[in-house]
Amino acid sequence: MASKPAPQPTPAEEPAPEKGMRAHAKRNHEKLRVAANIVVAEQGADASLEEISRRAGLGSATLYRHYPTRLILLDIVFHDRVEALNAETAPLLTAADPGAALVTWVRTLAEHFTANLGLAKFLMLAEGAKELTSAHAQVRETGKKVLGRAQKAKAATADASIADLLDLVNSIVLANERDAARVRRLLDLAVGGIRR
Amino acid sequence: MASKPAPQPTPAEEPAPEKGMRAHAKRNHEKLRVAANIVVAEQGADASLEEISRRAGLGSATLYRHYPTRLILLDIVFHDRVEALNAETAPLLTAADPGAALVTWVRTLAEHFTANLGLAKFLMLAEGAKELTSAHAQVRETGKKVLGRAQKAKAATADASIADLLDLVNSIVLANERDAARVRRLLDLAVGGIRR
DNA sequence: ACCTGAACACCGTTCAAGT
DNA sequence: ACCTGAACACCGTTCAAGT
């Protein structure tokens, strides 16, 4: 058992060997991620970056080094949530009743959006920046198919595109993000229509 | 004609007589109002108060003296627009077709909201702060009656309240305030419903 | 009575200087 | 290679000091 394998004579003036630096940076990365999760949960997509670095115990410039843009940071924060949303809506693609599936799709989105403050705005920002990763693109793709199936079954108006539908959901969520019951009520109204 | 009615001996250390001061203050008031109109038209309800005072050529503290809260300032800025909206929607209360009147009411609101950046948010803020002046209250009252007539004629779902309807309109407008065509499209969808 | 510079407590973002 | 204090250009709001 060669327990001490001839350590490289690392100069004293260097704070740590390269491997140690990377490990240190990695720990900071992680600290920032954890802090971002907390602060974004509290403040949403517009969370103060200063506050995030403060909670991580680091300077704000370090946050910028690790996450050059807000969108990149939000992408890390919401990655798992987007995947969970996709997993939950996937079965709707083969559901027996396409009309009911569409309603469920809208309600599931609303649930995830109100349960995760900032998620709706993040998806909007990601679309606007055309930085769609596979995860976001899949939200839209699933929605498109669910809507298409409902339209083919004459269970949804042919007028609406997936862009319209996502925009409608996002608008209602953004304006009422902290009131899940209200979001659900307004979405049900919009899906059912006001006029008779 | 007693032209010089024994003027009070105003001390020299006072910069101007009371009447002059009031006129001066009134002019500043007006400068701020004009600047607010311009900047709010550009930036909406969240317009920078610093920018408004800068454009008025005054210190921001002076703005606070004249308009202690943002809501008070917005109330001045939007007063005429709210009255115009009320004037335009009033005939809908006696329109022949209550269902069509409801659709027109929604579209008229949308037009005014997109034509006047910040108006939708101002009305929301005013409701939240319970500082409804008669002008805002009338928007709601007219809407309530128009909706009620449509419901009585079985031309609108009995599920929707005026609060729901205003909230729906406001949500869609706020998220798409700079794209009037998009607002109209999404509102038509919501009024007509997605599901068949 | 009215106005204002300056202060205070915040932002987001960048960069020279440190290790 | 990585981190950070400090700077820069902004906010909204308040207040002592000026006239």
Side-chain angles (χ1 to χ4, degrees), chain B residues 101-119:
Chain B
L102 179 63
V103 173
T104 304
W105 182 79
V106 169
R107 286 183 180 167
T108 306
L109 248 70
E111 271 166 36
H112 282 253
F113 287 174
T114 52
N116 299 288
L117 203 64
L119 175 54

Side-chain angles (χ1 to χ4, degrees), chain A residues 129-145:
Chain A
K130 289 178 190 162
E131 287 185 30
L132 284 168
T133 73
S134 58
H136 327 135
Q138 206 186 317
V139 173
R140 170 178 281 262
E141 277 316 299
T142 301
K144 192 172 183 174
K145 286 174 193 156

Side-chain angles (χ1 to χ4, degrees), chain B:
Chain B
M1 292 175 182
S3 54
K4 280 178 192 167
Q8 299 284 104
T10 38
E13 52 270 21
E14 278 210 84
E18 207 192 31
K19 231 178 188 173
M21 286 303 284
R22 287 219 184 121
H24 187 227
K26 207 174 173 185
R27 244 177 290 128
N28 283 345
H29 209 89
E30 184 61 12
K31 275 188 211 164
L32 287 165
R33 203 188 56 76
V34 169
N37 262 298
I38 295 170
V39 179
V40 169
E42 285 172 14
Q43 305 183 1
D46 299 319
S48 160
L49 300 179
E50 294 268 355
E51 178 67 18
I52 291 172
S53 11
R54 222 178 287 132
R55 296 244 197 138
L58 298 167
S60 65
T62 305
L63 182 146
Y64 279 93
R65 164 162 287 276
H66 286 276
Y67 304 100
T69 70
R70 177 183 293 273
L71 202 54
I72 290 171
L73 182 60
L74 291 175
D75 195 35
I76 305 292
V77 167
F78 287 122
H79 183 263
D80 294 354
R81 324 288 169 101
V82 174
E83 289 211 328
L85 174 60
N86 282 325
E88 199 172 326
T89 52
L92 296 173
L93 291 169
T94 54
D97 181 341
L102 179 63
V103 173
T104 304
W105 182 79
V106 169
R107 286 183 180 167
T108 306
L109 248 70
E111 271 166 36
H112 282 253
F113 287 174
T114 52
N116 299 288
L117 203 64
L119 175 54
K121 186 153 187 187
F122 160 63
L123 287 180
M124 254 189 53
L125 292 173
E127 300 235 351
K130 287 176 193 164
E131 287 185 29
L132 283 170
T133 73
S134 58
H136 327 133
Q138 207 187 317
V139 173
R140 169 178 282 261
E141 276 316 298
T142 302
K144 191 172 184 174
K145 284 175 194 156
V146 170
L147 175 62
R149 285 222 312 152
Q151 286 170 329
K152 214 168 270 174
K154 303 279 180 198
T157 174
D159 284 350
S161 70
I162 181 59
D164 296 331
L165 197 51
L166 275 173
D167 207 346
L168 197 60
V169 174
N170 270 326
S171 301
I172 290 172
V173 169
L174 287 181
N176 304 276
E177 206 163 19
R178 287 193 147 93
D179 187 345
R182 187 116 201 86
V183 167
R184 173 146 171 177
R185 172 164 182 67
L186 290 176
L187 277 177
D188 279 355
L189 267 177
V191 168
I194 307 290
R195 207 168 177 194
R196 281 278 150 278

Side-chain angles (χ1 to χ4, degrees), chain A residues 44-56:
Chain A
D46 299 320
S48 159
L49 301 179
E50 294 268 355
E51 178 66 20
I52 292 172
S53 11
R54 222 178 287 130
R55 295 247 197 137

Side-chain angles (χ1 to χ4, degrees), chain A residues 21 25 28 58-59 61-62 65-66:
Chain A
M21 285 305 283
N28 282 345
L58 299 166
T62 305
R65 163 163 289 276
H66 286 277

